[in-house]
Amino acid sequence: MKSPALIYLITRAHGLSTHLLIQDDYKTLIKSKDLISLVEYLLKSDYGSEISKIPGERLNVSSLSQVIYSVLISRFYHLINIAPSDVKKFLELYAERFIIENIKRILRAKHSSTKISSEALIPIPREYALINFPAMIESITLQDSLELLKATKYYQILDWLSLYRKYEIITILESALDKIYFEKIWKETDKLPDKRETKMIIGSEIDLRNINMILDLRARDISPETILSVSFKPVRLRDEDINQMSRARFDTIPDILARTPYQSLAQRLKEAIESKKLEKIDYIIADEIYNQIKTIMVRYPNSFSFVIGYLIMTEIEAHNLIALITAKELGLKEDEIKEILHT
Amino acid sequence: MSVGRVAATKGVLQRLREQLKFIEKGKNVLKMKRDQLAGEINKLLVDIKRRKEVEQLFSDAYESLKYAYTTLGYDTVVSAASAVELMEVRALPTSVMGVIMPDVEIVKRSDPKQVPLITLYSIAERLHRAVEEAIKLAVLEAKIEQLSRELMDTNRKVNALEKVVIPAYQSLIRYIEDRLNEEALEEFFITKHVRDIIRVRRE
């Protein structure tokens, strides 16, 4: 039996999901002749109030991306604020993906000793920013930045420092951060309502991110042992699948995937790898996440998984909009834009 | 070369002959330089055919980058790019046969492996290769340009020597030789005439 507070949250998620852009919106946006007409259309949406604050001369991909991120963040934290206490902690934990993304952005800059400012980070409300980002930005070396994570829930990242030093590539630390994040999330799913459906939705994301990470590290010839140490505990995949993928030659990973519940993904990945279009891998996996989540949301509209699904959809919408804006600025054709959106 | 300004004396003739010999030696040296420059250019021209390849490499990598830029978003691409250190190059001018030729040394290579996300990593690798190839090609093109300029100069000098300077010297020498011969002949006739007069008076 669901609590009234949880039913309210699911109902609100349904209500809020009607604010998301639909197929017709995307069609109109794709057809808009330039960035200005695209922005004019967005003025009628949730993005309107934030976009209208940008002066005309500052209207560009960077400023619009900031607006899209701020709307995304406000959507996430709005739902967290109205969530009942039994799921609030989980949702807060779920929203930490933005903190993880910000940590990654700072570590990337520190890795190459490049300057970074707070404008390069996703704007997270102060009360939810668990990390001292200004101090991390100010720190001189990557080691100093990591030291600042010692007193946080991401302290385990320091365990991967030796591996990072061995390979000298930032992807090791980024994968480790994802591992810490997803393992925390997965641990919490046991305490959630509608456990089966929620695990289904979270599990799909974990598996797909795992596949993405393995492909990424295999492409760089990272040793299987290292890959296994940063890979997450699989959900729908078996340990054996992860083990085999970590040891396989990069171009044979889709063949292993073809024997798992991710056959359709395997086919798309195989095509991309065979045609040497590796730049499509991240998109293909993001698209698979979108398709899986959409299916689960449609199948279980009254479960807590719908709330998670809504959050993932807001994130996908943000990516779609940034892609659209960038595509318009670069002058991509309508057909080309359709191919890069998750709709 | 003006003929009228030269005194037709044996001393001048000897000096002109020496100068002509020196000029012909110089012409031969310049001809050798010209042949060597042409050979160098021919050798480099084989590699210039790679231009199309490099352009294709760039064009493909930029198409992929455009795709990545749109699918991953501006922020992600900028952030990922910050993980990799910039390539550093140094210009090194070198002298070959007196021709200052540009050369570029890659002091520090960027490591595409540092770029996070498989999408960007794969593009970074291709772009990195394209940039390195473009640097090599730019150096090659600059070398060919310098060598061609030098070849043109040398050719002009050889032509000037062959078609203007040497023929002028030769005609000047010929003129002086003719004048000296004429003078010798005139002297011979005068001597003969004087001798004939003396002989007539004695008789």
Side-chain angles (χ1 to χ4, degrees), chain A residues 244-281:
Chain A
Q244 278 184 13
M245 282 195 282
S246 306
R247 291 176 195 284
R249 228 179 45 223
F250 175 72
D251 57 334
T252 59
I253 292 176
D255 299 330
I256 299 165
L257 263 184
R259 301 192 291 266
T260 69
Y262 299 101
Q263 287 155 354
S264 59
L265 173 72
Q267 188 52 37
R268 290 177 75 186
L269 287 176
K270 199 177 172 66
E271 282 167 18
I273 293 171
E274 278 177 358
S275 59
K276 293 198 165 56
K277 296 267 179 203
L278 299 194
E279 67 271 17
K280 290 200 167 174
I281 289 178

Side-chain angles (χ1 to χ4, degrees), chain A residues 61-62 65 105 108 111-112 114 168-170 174 215-216 219-220 278-279 282-283 322-323 326-327 330 332 340, chain B residues 64 66-67 69-71 73-76 79-80 82-85 113-119 121-123 126:
Chain A
V61 178
S62 172
S65 299
R105 289 184 183 189
R108 281 169 195 165
H111 169 74
S112 63
T114 311
E168 282 288 325
I169 59 167
I170 199 67
E174 292 195 9
L215 280 165
D216 192 328
R220 295 165 206 261
L278 299 194
E279 67 271 17
D282 284 318
Y283 171 80
I322 293 172
T326 316
L330 292 174
L332 259 67
I340 56 166
Chain B
S64 304
K66 206 161 88 175
Y67 179 84
Y69 195 51
T70 47
T71 53
Y74 171 83
D75 289 48
T76 312
S79 165
S82 74
V84 60
E85 284 182 53
K113 273 197 176 173
Q114 304 297 340
V115 180
L117 304 172
I118 188 163
T119 293
Y121 161 60
S122 65
I123 298 165
R126 284 153 62 195

Side-chain angles (χ1 to χ4, degrees), chain B residues 187-200:
Chain B
E187 211 173 308
F188 171 73
F189 274 110
I190 291 169
T191 313
K192 206 179 165 191
H193 185 68
V194 170
R195 202 175 56 195
D196 286 346
I197 291 170
I198 293 170
R199 198 188 298 153
V200 168

Side-chain angles (χ1 to χ4, degrees), chain A residues 119-333:
Chain A
E119 277 134 47
L121 304 183
I122 298 172
I124 299 169
R126 192 173 285 242
E127 63 270 32
Y128 294 105
L130 308 167
I131 309 290
N132 188 353
F133 289 126
M136 277 189 86
I137 288 172
E138 289 299 314
S139 62
I140 296 162
T141 64
L142 183 127
Q143 169 93 39
D144 297 340
S145 295
L146 288 177
E147 290 292 331
L148 290 165
L149 296 176
K150 228 178 201 170
T152 71
K153 51 165 78 172
Y154 305 110
Y155 65 94
Q156 292 148 289
I157 190 67
L158 287 144
D159 298 343
W160 274 277
L161 204 56
S162 55
L163 260 184
Y164 160 74
R165 288 210 180 105
K166 182 182 168 193
Y167 288 101
E168 282 288 325
I169 59 167
I170 199 67
T171 313
I172 299 283
L173 290 179
E174 292 195 9
S175 305
L177 275 168
D178 284 335
K179 180 187 169 77
I180 297 167
Y181 169 74
F182 281 114
E183 283 185 352
K184 277 188 198 300
I185 295 269
W186 187 246
K187 213 170 137 193
E188 287 295 312
T189 50
D190 277 330
K191 302 169 196 161
L192 292 174
D194 303 318
K195 211 188 315 182
R196 196 177 71 92
E197 296 85 353
T198 310
K199 280 194 164 196
M200 214 184 271
I201 212 159
I202 305 274
S204 295
E205 197 187 1
I206 288 179
D207 274 350
L208 290 162
R209 296 274 178 226
N210 226 353
I211 294 166
N212 200 353
M213 187 265 298
I214 293 170
L215 280 165
D216 192 328
L217 295 176
R218 277 316 285 149
R220 295 165 206 261
D221 277 333
I222 302 293
S223 77
E225 291 70 30
T226 306
I227 297 176
L228 287 171
S229 76
V230 288
S231 65
F232 338 130
K233 181 107 186 83
V235 181
R236 286 171 69 199
L237 291 168
R238 295 170 304 153
D239 284 333
E240 186 52 28
D241 298 326
I242 298 292
N243 197 14
Q244 278 184 13
M245 282 195 282
S246 306
R247 291 176 195 284
R249 228 179 45 223
F250 175 72
D251 57 334
T252 59
I253 292 176
D255 299 330
I256 299 165
L257 263 184
R259 301 192 291 266
T260 69
Y262 299 101
Q263 287 155 354
S264 59
L265 173 72
Q267 188 52 37
R268 290 177 75 186
L269 287 176
K270 199 177 172 66
E271 282 167 18
I273 293 171
E274 278 177 358
S275 59
K276 293 198 165 56
K277 296 267 179 203
L278 299 194
E279 67 271 17
K280 290 200 167 174
I281 289 178
D282 284 318
Y283 171 80
I284 291 171
I285 290 173
D287 204 44
E288 185 68 19
I289 293 176
Y290 170 76
N291 291 330
Q292 297 261 350
I293 304 305
K294 211 167 113 185
T295 311
I296 297 168
M297 283 174 83
V298 171
R299 201 178 291 167
Y300 308 105
N302 300 322
S303 94
F304 178 66
S305 64
F306 189 90
V307 178
I308 308 287
Y310 162 73
L311 292 178
I312 297 174
M313 287 298 164
T314 58
E315 227 184 321
I316 289 169
E317 181 180 290
H319 283 296
N320 274 346
L321 276 179
I322 293 172
L324 249 165
I325 290 162
T326 316
K328 282 288 161 200
E329 186 126 306
L330 292 174
L332 259 67
K333 292 185 195 116

